[in-house]
């Protein structure tokens, strides 16, 4: 059930911003990128908002920087996990 098209997760915006800033979208195929997004979003707390301006007025610059840093760390960890994809390794 979808409550509203207007309600969205600000963390998704931060993730998209960092994927482009770090140019990850240029070195990953679509499937890998989608897997990475799921891994990262499951590691970060959601911040549901109705309007982007709501979050911009509700968090300090320091808190936004902390969220960006947590997002970068989750991206790095997600990429490492995907590089060690156990599904592709032969089974004993």
């Amino acid at each position: 059930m979808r409550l509203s098209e207007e309600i969205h997760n600000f963390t998704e915006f931060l993730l998209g911003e960092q994927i482009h800033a770090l140019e990850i979208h240029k070195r990953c195929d679509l499937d890998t990128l989608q897997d990475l997004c799921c891994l990262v979003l499951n590691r970060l707390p959601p911040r549901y908002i109705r309007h982007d301006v709501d979050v911009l007025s509700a968090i300090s610059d320091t808190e936004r920087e902390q969220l960006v840093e947590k997002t970068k760390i989750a991206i790095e960890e997600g990429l490492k996990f995907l590089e060690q994809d156990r599904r592709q390794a032969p089974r004993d």
Side-chain angles (χ1 to χ4, degrees), residues 7-12 45-50:
I7 297 172
H8 58 282
N9 184 355
F10 181 68
T11 307
E12 292 176 10
R47 295 187 69 105
Y48 287 100
I49 58 173
R50 184 168 176 205

Side-chain angles (χ1 to χ4, degrees), residues 14-15 18 40 44 67-75:
L14 288 177
L15 174 56
Q18 289 308 307
V40 171
L44 298 172
L67 286 170
V68 168
E69 189 59 32
K70 287 179 183 179
T71 303
K72 288 179 182 179
I73 291 168
I75 289 171

Side-chain angles (χ1 to χ4, degrees), residues 56-69:
L56 298 175
S57 64
I59 65 172
S60 66
D61 290 342
T62 303
E63 188 177 0
R64 179 173 164 64
E65 289 172 16
Q66 290 172 345
L67 286 170
V68 168
E69 189 59 32

Side-chain angles (χ1 to χ4, degrees), residues 78-91:
L79 286 170
K80 286 178 188 174
F81 179 82
L82 291 172
E83 287 171 4
Q84 300 170 354
D85 187 356
R86 288 180 231 120
R87 292 173 298 176
Q88 295 178 9
R91 290 190 168 179

